[in-house]
Amino acid sequence: MLVLGVETSCDDTAAAVLQDGQTILANVVSSQDEVHGPYGGVVPELASRQHIKNIMPIVDGALRKAGATLKDVDGMAVTYGPGLVGSLLVGLSLVKGISFRSGIPYVGVNHLEAHLLAIHLEHEVAFPYLALLASGGHTLLYCVRGVGDYAHLGGTRDDAAGEAYDKVAKMMGLGYPGGRAIDQLAQTGNPKAIRFPRARIKSSAYEFSFSGIKTAVWHYLKSQSEEERRAKAADIAASFQEAVTDMLVRPAIAAARTGGIERIVLSGGVAANSRLRAKMKEEAEAAEVSVYYPAPKFCTDNGAMIALAGYHWLKRGRRDDFSLNADADLTL
Ligand code: KG4
Ligand code: ZN
């Protein structure tokens, strides 16, 4: 069964061809970092326009790379939410158009579900597992009991973890998106140089908050001269990263322990972070829990994870009709 997956929920235009839910024949992504970089964040209007420009070459490129044509495709999967509505509509409209013209069935995919299942592109992980989804738009903790069976355990009260990375990177003049830049800069810094606060939500052990640390870094930067800021950049990056990592690791381990869940799966763009990967592994080992994380290209937005989530639903007989609309605030 050949599934074409299409993703345009934010600022990456992506398509993939997946065979039998297992073999990735093609996975093509066009990132818009250069377009949004000068603005320090995604500009929705520009993102939609870029998707319009990129979507046909990306889908064509994925099919060509897979050595397939539309005639070989058995089903299509496309993200219909959550995300930027103008961006979502580009992918959704294209897939609906293809489906209308060629009769190939399609399903709309929840972007969050695709992140939670992305690990299965590379690893066999038994259910149930605890999934920490940390991206530019979300920080969520779920118990994944099976395909379509997700128990929400907690989430962020304010900023997403990736958003904190991007905002701090912007303050430090590291460009957008900033997660990877901070990760790299932190390699040469001392994570104990500055003690940034670790927010704790009293009422729930599984909730996150990242607005406080963002403000703490801002105050710290303000208190330093330009020269000091430059000299201490790596230490600031490492100390900030250490604090964010602690705030992500603690609730995940606590949830796994309390629920007796033996596996933790990381997903979303922030799961590409080297310190988070290392620390989660360390702490999980101590708690006798296994940790799995996707390759960085499957942590960030990609078409393969959309194709995989869609594959499961297509296989179960789900089909969407042409009334399906984009849903910017879609939840799981
Ligand atoms: O999942 P994703 O590609 O898009 C969303 O759905 O949001 O995640 C993008 C986010 C950005 O905030 C980016 O800065 C962050 O993931 N990110 C990282 C790293 N690579 C990407 N954050 C920390 N360390 C990284 N290595
Ligand atoms: Zn995402």
Side-chain angles (χ1 to χ4, degrees):
M1 181 171 172
L2 218 60
V3 175
L4 171 69
V6 175
E7 155 66 38
T8 63
S9 67
C10 189
D11 60 342
D12 292 312
T13 318
V17 179
L18 185 70
Q19 190 172 33
D20 300 327
Q22 280 179 345
T23 315
I24 301 162
L25 300 182
N27 184 49
V28 184
V29 183
S30 167
S31 126
Q32 303 179 6
D33 292 351
E34 280 166 25
V35 175
H36 305 287
Y39 302 94
V42 177
V43 183
E45 168 83 18
L46 296 181
S48 313
R49 290 173 184 272
Q50 274 306 113
H51 284 309
I52 286 282
K53 238 163 91 177
N54 294 339
I55 190 78
M56 290 305 298
I58 288 291
V59 169
D60 263 348
L63 286 169
R64 212 168 328 115
K65 202 162 171 205
T69 68
L70 277 178
K71 284 201 180 71
D72 306 310
V73 173
D74 299 297
M76 295 181 290
V78 59
T79 310
Y80 76 107
L84 300 169
V85 74
S87 290
L88 290 163
L89 284 171
V90 176
L92 181 58
S93 300
L94 176 81
V95 167
K96 277 186 175 183
I98 296 174
S99 181
F100 182 75
R101 179 75 181 81
S102 64
I104 304 169
Y106 88 100
V107 286
V109 166
N110 183 318
H111 183 86
L112 305 176
E113 175 177 45
H115 272 303
L116 297 186
L117 298 176
I119 193 68
H120 302 287
L121 289 166
E122 301 164 289
H123 302 276
E124 274 186 32
V125 183
F127 299 112
Y129 55 81
L130 188 112
L132 172 66
L133 164 52
S135 70
H138 302 274
T139 306
L140 293 162
L141 210 47
Y142 278 95
C143 178
V144 179
R145 295 187 287 230
V147 174
D149 189 357
Y150 314 108
H152 176 267
L153 301 178
T156 182
R157 290 281 174 98
D158 39 58
D159 292 352
E163 200 178 342
Y165 268 102
D166 293 337
K167 285 179 179 166
V168 165
K170 189 175 176 184
M171 289 178 214
M172 295 178 70
L174 297 173
Y176 172 87
R180 206 173 338 138
I182 290 185
D183 195 349
Q184 268 160 14
L185 183 59
Q187 308 285 333
T188 55
N190 173 8
K192 292 191 175 135
I194 307 140
R195 177 79 193 170
F196 289 121
R198 274 83 167 147
R200 267 193 158 161
I201 308 290
K202 280 205 188 92
S203 55
S204 166
Y206 311 144
E207 298 279 306
F208 307 88
S209 167
F210 296 101
S211 69
I213 180 143
K214 181 188 65 189
T215 313
V217 174
W218 188 83
H219 282 297
Y220 183 81
L221 291 170
K222 284 285 262 187
S223 73
Q224 306 288 302
S225 70
E226 180 133 14
E227 217 164 73
E228 285 170 321
R229 282 202 291 267
R230 214 171 309 129
K232 294 182 190 171
D235 284 349
I236 299 168
S239 301
F240 161 75
Q241 179 169 273
E242 197 63 20
V244 172
T245 301
D246 281 350
M247 287 189 277
L248 288 171
V249 169
R250 199 192 307 119
I253 299 287
R257 273 212 164 114
T258 308
I261 306 169
E262 291 164 10
R263 290 159 291 274
I264 294 179
V265 166
L266 302 186
S267 64
V270 180
N273 184 264
S274 60
R275 184 62 188 134
L276 176 64
R277 289 161 91 99
K279 186 142 196 179
M280 189 70 88
K281 197 157 190 150
E282 261 168 48
E283 302 273 321
E285 260 165 27
E288 294 185 357
V289 172
S290 313
V291 176
Y292 301 84
Y293 26 64
K297 67 178 171 187
F298 299 124
C299 288
T300 48
D301 290 348
N302 64 87
M305 68 179 190
I306 305 303
L308 178 63
Y311 162 81
H312 286 294
W313 290 113
L314 286 161
K315 212 174 56 173
R316 285 164 166 73
R318 206 185 103 198
R319 303 286 184 262
D320 280 318
D321 62 27
F322 296 123
S323 66
L324 184 70
N325 206 346
D327 185 347
D329 303 315
L330 185 67
T331 53
L332 249 192

